[in-house]
């Protein structure tokens, strides 16, 4: 809802008149890449800056898969629900499997692969070609290190790349319940992105390929898909700042605290939480009456119908959420 | 498993030395089109001849949908399972919904449309743009006239084209339980195809658009998708014969009788039928031991795993199935 | 090479903490749309904000064309040369025709259409489905009002949409030789974009559809193609500023003057200009020796090989080019 | 214009009632594959049977190229002119280069590659990813062995696969002027197809990959693209016959002789041949008056406009052309 984190905006202003090369090979972008490599302990990682989540997902998935391959993902995965069919528009089926609070597990992935491999008609079917996870998930839940290790092991045994969508990764990293570090992700995934659009930047996602060479000609593919910014420095400058003084690791903290307070208040008021997520998203079941009344005072997200008379609504806190806003929301909820 | 129906083959041989124009505008193709229009009571119908089911489905669906639109289909639909991702390769998501014995109903379709229309995030989602049915379904079951009327009504209310995949349509038409005629299909659907590859021809499917103009430039789209035969007459000749003396209406009869006898024999032997289908496909649950033994004497289709020790197998009879073959199979089953 | 125009940056800073809705339906974006409508005298125009030229071209062209249709463009058109095959990746052929200094004319367009329509094999060919122009062209030249009127007339007679790529439009509008106003473009084209990335913004292009409804579901298509910014306001804020106090009309002036001085200096030094363009791009033929020497002191653009020992290089001035930079360049050129 | 060669038709009839597996893994298809491997002296070759030229070209090219790669071809190449944009619909640009009588040469290919590699903006451009040739060409001309060796050498030096479209290959092989054998093609190309649709079969093209493994999952890709015939045997039976007793090597002979006689008669009558082709296609320039008159008695192909009052027309002879037909045509031409 706001613009950029003040430190990021400051940097954009400070560097505004400096001259650089275009298309993301400027010194700011190079510095940002190096800082990300250090934060990931992945010294040979390729880092590419893109503009948004759907763009990143469709380019990465489209570039990784061969024709006839599909991507294993949770039914609730962002790519399966809220990207207007971007993955299919790129030619690939989403092999959607059931989730538990937004998560899938190693066992399900192995079963999906087995089911394909043992099917005598498999050459008439879509081959599982990669796995898509979100951290945190679309329901705000987190994969534990153990879960991620198991998934990574299954993927490597089956020679299937693992891709992690980190649109809101800062909120996972800021979460006390989280035990998965950026280095863990870089070690366990074949490709992932560090989201900034929803974590303090004006826009920007950093695709990280820990072991370079996974996708030949990725720069040209980015250009072809219309995702190469002429002023690529805009992304570089922001990521450079996000990876200075651990800003990216800390930026989600206020959001986590705010979400926790909202969750507690909702429970206290007798509302049902739709999922028990530890991150910055709060999903709450409300009657249509309550929802309508709340809507007169507060802007919130519609998630889905719960039943004929109830709706799941979503509050997403952010790095910019202020304590007084949380107070006010809680007071409104109390008065509902 | 065999080649063509003898009458069709005879026609191919008789016409072999006649000279005609190429690309499907020859006199045989024109006559076939006219006969199909008469059989469908659709005097203005456009008729296009294609080579196979996956080709037809992907061309029709790709040509009908706008970007961002998807096709509603049963989870068990051929396009969703056994076409190697052809629809997605053409850029479109399959909005797969649960089925009952391979069928979906008008209510489910309306709910899918409602769910899209009432979702406040719908512009980030795939819009239902058409409906795909198979008659008979992949499980050999049939839509009744009432069911098809209801589905058609829902589609027209919502301004969504209805497409029917008739890969095995002759087996539906030959079935005593069936109450849906070719004219009903032409009246209730916006586009459908009459399958011949699996119904007596060497190859061939006839796409029928009862109300012409649904898909502009369809001829060029067929060419672009590599589906235009230089010797298009090969398809025309076969369809001309299939629609002479009601051959297409009668050709499935032996298959239906053979399938009925196999089903009865299986039940008598205590096997569980996976679905109760009235058409030419018989789905039977067998233990892996039985299956293995049977496999030494008979070639049959693998359908899917039933549980850890059982498999669903499929017998598909055809216009060419002989009584003695059925006898032999039944004797083998008895001896298992 | 620089960031944003100071006024734009100022606006981004001022509005940074204001809360707005996401995805481009915020008040800044709405105000920007309204200002653009007024500037174009197109009160019903649809306005959509995108991030870059290749993205805009591939989305517009992909959304406008039907399968089997292609886009008529100059061989030198940006879409044909420097977009890494983005249009073809979207499924469409570029019907490239010869150009004169980057321009094509009404007569060529009519001939291309005629040639298709009179070809008896046309259903096996790509149908001309739209026309693509750039103003200014890739060679920095300008279409005159008369030329644009003639092209528009031919397009309308043939019922083929006319699309204008205005990546550097501000430099055309600031040019004394130019007689085509924004209102002319809105009147004569069916869709066009007003470029900002290269005209003072951090990033941003405004697609204008003067007569709404040309492309159904365009919002969803933008989302599907990964081009919808979560913080769409970033684009809205910039365009709002660009269309305040005629900034967009004036912003190119310094670039035009600087380019003129460079051209004059080059001629004085005896260099050959590759084209006589009146806008902010200067194309000059240099021997490889000169080029190498110049390269030690100045960063410039490589355009193409001229012959075995010469290269065409490009200087592009901008709103941010300072007089002292021009002086310095001229001194370096003199000393070469 | 006719159906199949009598020997092929005979084989189809003889085998009609035999039962085989579907989808091209039947014994006829396997035998045909083996015979083709022997004829090509390529014992490890992969052989896949498809239905038509456009289908084959679009599947092969789409499967071989990576995103951002394009295919080098003659401006006159079938893929560039008469396939309704099939290659672009598959996502790839045709890097069309000038031809001489339908042919391109090794030097042009090397220059195209160099031009890409030396262009500093190459990452914004389409990378040459393969080469497409036709033998005979669209103008009926032939590559000599020397020309093909040179092209192959350039392709291998640059690590770019060479693909040869053999839609009318039988007419090249039957031509006295031809010095390129099937074994030469298998040795010098990375992938090619042996055309049968225009060389005696009802339909069918055999894709040959001399060194297996060039395209992983090619079977599934064929399925996905709708090109897998359920009764794949139809193709296998025909190719088995075509490669029995050297039929494919001899089948074009009558066509070559007929074409030669037509060419001589045309020259005698004072007509201008558009190209001097040695194969089964005759291209002749006729005034519009002559053309119109001829059209009342003979069906021929429209090729292209020559000038305002003349047209290039095409006569294509075939394996089925009879001497008396040639006589009659020549008499008509004399009387014109």
């Amino acid at each position: 809802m706001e613009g950029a984190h003040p430190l990021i905006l400051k940097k954009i202003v400070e560097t505004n008149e400096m001259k650089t090369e275009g298309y993301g090979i400027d010194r700011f972008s190079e510095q940002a890449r190096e800082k990300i490599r250090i934060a990931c302990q992945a010294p040979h990682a390729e880092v590419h800056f893109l503009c948004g989540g759907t763009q990143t997902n469709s380019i990465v998935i489209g570039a990784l898969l061969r024709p006839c391959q599909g991507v294993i993902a949770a039914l609730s995965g962002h790519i399966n629900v809220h990207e207007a069919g971007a993955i299919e528009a790129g030619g690939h089926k989403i092999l959607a499997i059931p989730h538990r609070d937004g998560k899938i597990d190693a066992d399900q992935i192995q079963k999906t692969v087995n089911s394909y491999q043992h099917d005598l008609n498999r050459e008439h079917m879509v081959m599982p070609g990669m796995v898509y996870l979100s951290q945190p998930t679309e329901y705000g839940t987190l994969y534990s290190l153990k879960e991620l290790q198991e998934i990574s092991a299954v993927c490597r045994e089956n020679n299937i790349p693992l891709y992690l969508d980190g649109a809101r990764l800062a909120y996972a990293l800021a979460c006390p319940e989280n035990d998965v570090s950026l280095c863990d992700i870089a070690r366990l995934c074949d490709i992932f992105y560090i989201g900034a659009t929803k974590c303090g930047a004006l826009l920007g996602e950093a695709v990280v390929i820990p072991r370079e060479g996974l996708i030949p000609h990725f720069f040209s593919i980015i250009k072809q898909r219309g995702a190469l910014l002429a002023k690529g420095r805009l992304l570089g400058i922001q990521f450079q700042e996000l990876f200075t003084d651990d800003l990216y690791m800390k930026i989600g903290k206020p959001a986590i605290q705010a979400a926790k307070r909202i969750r507690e208040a909702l429970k206290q008021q007798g509302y049902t939480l739709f999922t028990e997520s530890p991150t910055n998203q709060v999903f709450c079941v409300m009657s249509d009456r309550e929802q309508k009344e709340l809507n007169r005072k507060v802007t919130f997200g519609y998630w889905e119908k719960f039943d004929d008379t109830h709706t799941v609504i979503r509050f997403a806190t952010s790095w910019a959420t202020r304590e007084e806003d949380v107070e006010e929301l809680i007071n409104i909820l109390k008065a509902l």
Side-chain angles (χ1 to χ4, degrees), chain A:
Chain A
M1 293 167 71
E2 289 86 0
H5 188 278
L7 286 172
I8 290 174
L9 192 65
K10 188 161 159 273
K11 198 79 180 183
I12 291 174
V13 172
E14 279 172 18
T15 58
N16 190 55
E17 292 184 26
M18 298 181 190
K19 288 185 205 302
T20 63
E21 291 189 84
Y23 302 111
I25 53 170
D26 59 278
R27 60 186 176 281
F28 302 116
S29 298
E30 291 300 355
Q31 286 163 16
R33 286 188 185 98
E34 197 48 35
K35 287 183 170 183
I36 288 174
R37 286 186 197 107
I38 290 168
C40 293
Q41 295 180 6
H44 302 296
E46 266 181 64
V47 182
H48 302 270
F49 299 116
L50 298 176
C51 294
T54 298
Q55 182 181 82
T56 303
N57 288 333
S58 68
I59 290 177
V60 165
I61 292 170
L64 252 187
L65 293 179
R66 293 271 314 156
C68 297
Q69 292 185 328
V71 50
I72 297 175
L75 271 160
S76 55
H78 202 252
I79 55 169
N80 196 42
V81 184
H82 284 127
E83 298 193 347
I87 304 309
E88 293 86 359
H92 299 285
K93 192 180 191 72
I94 299 170
L95 301 164
I97 58 179
H99 65 97
R100 224 184 43 244
D101 291 339
K103 295 199 286 181
I104 57 176
D105 64 33
D107 195 45
Q108 286 177 289
I109 294 168
Q110 185 62 61
K111 276 188 181 139
T112 304
V113 172
N114 287 348
S115 160
Y116 170 81
Q117 280 171 351
H118 298 159
D119 196 308
L120 296 178
N121 301 315
R122 68 178 166 279
E123 287 186 308
H124 298 237
M125 297 169 77
V126 175
M127 175 193 284
M130 64 184 289
V131 170
Y132 167 91
L133 302 180
S134 313
Q135 174 83 328
T137 69
E138 292 72 14
Y139 286 100
T141 53
L142 292 173
Y143 286 93
S144 70
L145 181 56
K146 184 161 170 294
E147 289 168 334
L148 194 62
Q149 283 168 334
E150 288 169 357
I151 289 173
S152 176
V154 158
C155 287
R156 289 187 181 166
E157 272 161 42
N158 290 284
N159 208 13
I160 286 176
L162 175 58
Y163 169 51
L164 185 142
D165 176 335
R168 292 186 171 88
L169 190 55
Y171 301 108
L173 297 175
C175 199
E177 287 84 349
N178 174 56
D179 67 347
V180 179
S181 72
L182 206 48
C183 301
D184 293 329
I185 292 172
R187 205 180 63 247
L188 297 170
C189 296
D190 298 287
I191 181 165
F192 64 98
Y193 81 86
I194 301 169
T197 302
K198 302 199 167 176
C199 304
L202 290 172
L203 83 169
E205 327 292 330
V207 176
V208 183
I209 304 177
R211 281 152 299 278
E212 54 184 337
L214 182 69
I215 303 177
H217 314 304
F218 200 45
F219 184 93
S220 281
I221 293 173
I222 290 169
K223 172 67 190 174
Q224 188 185 61
R225 301 289 290 256
L228 188 67
L229 290 193
K231 292 183 187 162
R233 62 192 264 171
L234 175 62
L235 303 174
I237 291 163
Q238 295 183 89
F239 271 100
Q240 191 203 29
E241 191 61 28
L242 280 166
F243 281 84
T244 296
D245 297 336
D246 278 344
L247 177 57
Y248 194 79
M249 310 302 154
K250 298 180 294 196
I251 200 169
K253 290 228 158 80
I256 298 300
Q257 280 152 9
K260 200 176 165 198
R261 290 198 55 205
I262 296 169
R263 263 190 293 270
E264 281 161 6
L266 283 165
K267 283 197 219 170
Q268 246 171 5
Q269 298 301 315
Y271 290 105
T272 307
L273 295 185
F274 184 60
T275 58
E276 267 295 347
S277 82
T279 58
N280 71 315
Q281 299 189 73
V282 181
F283 297 89
C284 177
V285 180
M286 283 209 174
S287 75
D288 291 348
R289 187 199 58 76
E290 290 160 344
Q291 199 220 120
K292 209 172 288 176
E293 205 165 327
L294 184 62
N295 208 5
R296 281 192 281 164
K297 293 174 185 158
V298 181
T299 305
F300 51 85
Y302 164 89
W303 190 250
E304 59 188 41
K305 288 298 294 177
F306 182 75
D307 62 26
D308 279 359
T309 56
H310 291 78
T311 301
V312 180
I313 67 168
R314 181 179 72 143
F315 302 101
T317 61
S318 82
W319 56 271
T321 306
R322 291 171 308 172
E323 276 193 44
E324 54 265 42
D325 296 336
V326 176
E327 283 313 318
E328 209 187 320
L329 173 63
I330 290 174
N331 287 333
I332 292 169
L333 287 168
K334 281 184 181 163
L336 218 60

